[in-house]
Amino acid sequence: MSIGEEVLVVFGGGAAGVYGAIRAKTVAPKLNVVVIEKGKPLSKVRISGGGRCNVTNGHCVDNKIYILAERYPRGYREFRGTFFDVHGPMDTMSWFSDHGVDLKTEDDGRVFPVSNSSSSIIDCHLSEAKQRGVFLQTGKVVTTTNATAGGKFLFKLEKRTLNLVECIEADYLLIASGSSKPV
Ligand SMILES: Cc1cc2nc3c(=O)[nH]c(=O)nc-3n(C[C@H](O)[C@H](O)[C@H](O)COP(=O)(O)OP(=O)(O)OC[C@H]3O[C@@H](n4cnc5c(N)ncnc54)[C@H](O)[C@@H]3O)c2cc1C
């Protein structure tokens, strides 16, 4: 990273963190984006949809999110959050098509990669992140975060296998730790 450039640290390399990092680099290509992941990136995506990854619902062709929410057995309220107002099911399908993942819609509306493998979704995200210059650090745990007097964020990272501790500073922070408790 060059001195003087702004840094976004994304805490968590799951679906939210990796997609968030790609999106940040898309809208702000000069931003340094670092994803810190304690295990393997996108590991929950690998097991999602029985290993096939159900990316959205293809019956919501008008992008109306309430239709998607009604078809989702859990988390109805969360589905109606602001994200889906700006990025609905059709946007999801277009994004994957534009990034080389062929999708199919099953009779019940569930949308999967034609490959029937969540690896297609993982490979697409990791390749896009690499191409855009997202810096992915795996095997490192964020153990503390503090705000500095200068308005930045200071993180302590631990690589437990090597008994290594390092500190990094960031201008922006995206917490995407999933169901793990943020530190
Ligand atoms: C069995 C199953 C099937 C599913 N099927 C589907 C499906 O078909 N379609 C669908 O849309 N959704 C599905 N889901 C839900 C979907 O997998 C999750 O909503 C999604 O993966 C959540 O992504 P996330 O990035 O918010 O969280 P996570 O995937 O949990 O990612 C958070 C990441 O943060 C990392 N992390 C946490 N704390 C730290 C720390 N201190 N330092 C460094 N890293 C840290 C974790 O290791 C993790 O990788 C399924 C879920 C399950 C369990």
Side-chain angles (χ1 to χ4, degrees):
M1 269 172 262
S2 329
I3 292 168
E5 289 179 354
E6 291 194 308
V7 179
L8 161 70
V9 165
V10 180
F11 162 19
V18 174
Y19 184 80
I22 292 169
R23 185 71 191 141
K25 275 301 251 183
T26 307
V27 298
K30 289 189 177 159
L31 188 66
N32 281 302
V33 179
V34 186
V35 179
I36 311 293
E37 167 54 48
K38 66 180 173 184
K40 285 189 179 167
L42 301 169
S43 53
K44 212 183 271 180
V45 172
R46 188 165 298 285
I47 58 162
S48 68
R52 295 199 295 152
C53 191
N54 174 196
V55 298
T56 189
N57 188 291
H59 286 173
C60 309
V61 285
D62 56 0
N63 231 0
K64 292 277 191 316
I65 194 56
Y66 64 85
I67 299 174
L68 179 63
E70 277 163 12
R71 290 170 189 272
Y72 193 69
R74 300 172 296 270
Y76 175 96
R77 215 172 296 144
E78 289 76 3
F79 255 86
R80 304 196 69 167
T82 49
F83 176 74
F84 287 105
D85 289 339
V86 293
H87 193 100
M90 296 310 291
D91 302 310
T92 299
M93 288 195 275
S94 304
W95 192 88
F96 281 114
S97 303
D98 293 347
H99 291 83
V101 180
D102 293 328
L103 300 173
K104 59 174 175 173
T105 305
E106 301 199 335
D107 291 345
D108 58 5
R110 290 180 304 161
V111 179
F112 294 98
V114 167
S115 66
N116 272 333
S117 171
S118 55
S119 298
S120 304
I121 303 301
I122 294 171
D123 294 348
C124 168
H125 279 89
L126 293 182
S127 131
E128 181 66 11
K130 189 175 178 187
Q131 201 182 316
R132 294 225 172 244
V134 171
F135 189 42
L136 181 60
Q137 296 200 7
T138 55
K140 291 186 180 176
V141 184
V142 180
T143 54
T144 59
T145 56
N146 288 299
T148 69
K152 298 199 175 206
F153 298 97
L154 193 64
F155 302 87
K156 193 155 120 189
L157 311 180
E158 287 182 23
K159 188 152 184 125
R160 289 179 175 153
T161 48
L162 298 177
N163 208 14
L164 182 86
V165 178
E166 61 182 300
C167 287
I168 56 168
E169 201 177 66
D171 302 274
Y172 307 101
L173 164 65
L174 171 61
I175 299 176
S177 58
S179 50
S180 304
K181 201 174 152 195
V183 291

